[in-house]
Amino acid sequence: MRGRDEMHHGIGMTSQRTRERLIQRLHEEGIADSRVLDVIRRIPRHLFVDEALAHRAYENTALPIGNNQTISQPWMVARMSELLLAAGPLDKVLEIGTGSGYQTAVLAQLVERVFSVERIKVLQDRAKERLQALSLRNVVFRWGDGWEGWQALAPYNGIIVTAVAADVPQALLDQLAPGGRMVIPVGAGELQQLLLIIREEDGSFTRHPLGAVRFVPLLNGPLA
Ligand code: SAH
């Protein structure tokens, strides 16, 4: 008979086997960067969702995290991470839309430092607690409006945006270092696509469209 502890500590839906199935699926669906897959294999995604949803944490799906927001689909987290990393190691990455902190936790293990901006205070507070619990200390959080980026600490070698707007915020383009990479969804309603924007050494930008995606909107202003 299975003990109570086993039920609660990962013999069930959060077990290593369940996680391994997710990794297998991400791999089959085109995620090739083994560093990214290894990090996702290790991170307990069930700690980033409400307990009532923990049994679904290793499905390849977005899930609600309150305040009308969602934790991104693991495939999307993996894809955006590998796109950011594809040209070599990154020392400073700006993230817009901390949300649950899951993408933040993945990045924290792949780059030197992450600067993460979130407009909803309660989400930010919870994300902070989760990263502390996982001893991820190379992340700095800011409660603010992602449309403005984080000017004081710019430029960044990588920028990742996990909410969608009709256009790329100008501040984010300005804060991308020459040689830097930005991964950002752009569009409206059903018509959104993922863009990889590379800032060339001469300061110009090259945009690579990377297919249809679905994100929650990038809204305006901080919210207590
Ligand atoms: N990567 C997150 C995704 C969260 S959803 C995760 O996996 O959990 C997108 C997040 O962007 C939400 O938390 C939302 O509050 C935030 N957001 C939306 N507009 C924003 C803005 N202007 N500035 C900062 N964060 C914003």
Side-chain angles (χ1 to χ4, degrees), residues 48-70:
F48 290 80
V49 296
D50 198 81
E51 234 174 299
L53 287 171
H55 66 289
R56 300 192 55 196
Y58 299 94
E59 292 175 17
N60 187 22
T61 180
L63 293 168
I65 54 170
N67 299 74
N68 274 324
Q69 304 303 322
T70 55

Side-chain angles (χ1 to χ4, degrees), residues 66-188:
N67 299 74
N68 274 324
Q69 304 303 322
T70 55
I71 180 172
S72 305
Q73 184 197 13
W75 185 87
M76 189 55 64
V77 171
R79 183 74 186 121
M80 292 174 92
S81 302
E82 76 176 4
L83 285 167
L84 265 189
L85 289 169
L90 297 172
D91 57 355
K92 282 176 71 183
V93 171
L94 174 66
E95 176 186 48
I96 306 299
T98 314
S100 67
Y102 180 69
Q103 171 84 69
T104 323
V106 170
L107 286 174
Q109 297 178 66
L110 294 165
V111 307
E112 249 174 71
R113 283 179 300 165
V114 182
F115 302 88
S116 189
V117 180
E118 170 58 54
R119 67 183 282 275
I120 302 178
K121 187 78 173 115
V122 290
L123 291 181
Q124 185 194 49
D125 289 343
R126 258 179 258 146
K128 263 188 195 170
E129 284 171 18
R130 292 180 181 122
L131 268 77
Q132 259 161 28
L134 294 173
S135 301
L136 297 171
R137 297 183 230 279
N138 56 339
V139 179
V140 191
F141 295 90
R142 176 182 163 91
W143 176 44
D145 185 355
W147 280 95
E148 296 166 13
W150 192 341
Q151 174 61 41
L153 301 172
Y156 305 93
N157 319 107
I159 299 182
I160 181 169
V161 184
T162 68
V164 68
D167 289 304
V168 180
Q170 183 60 44
L172 299 184
L173 292 168
D174 295 341
Q175 292 170 27
L176 190 61
R181 301 161 73 81
M182 175 170 7
V183 182
I184 180 171
V186 171

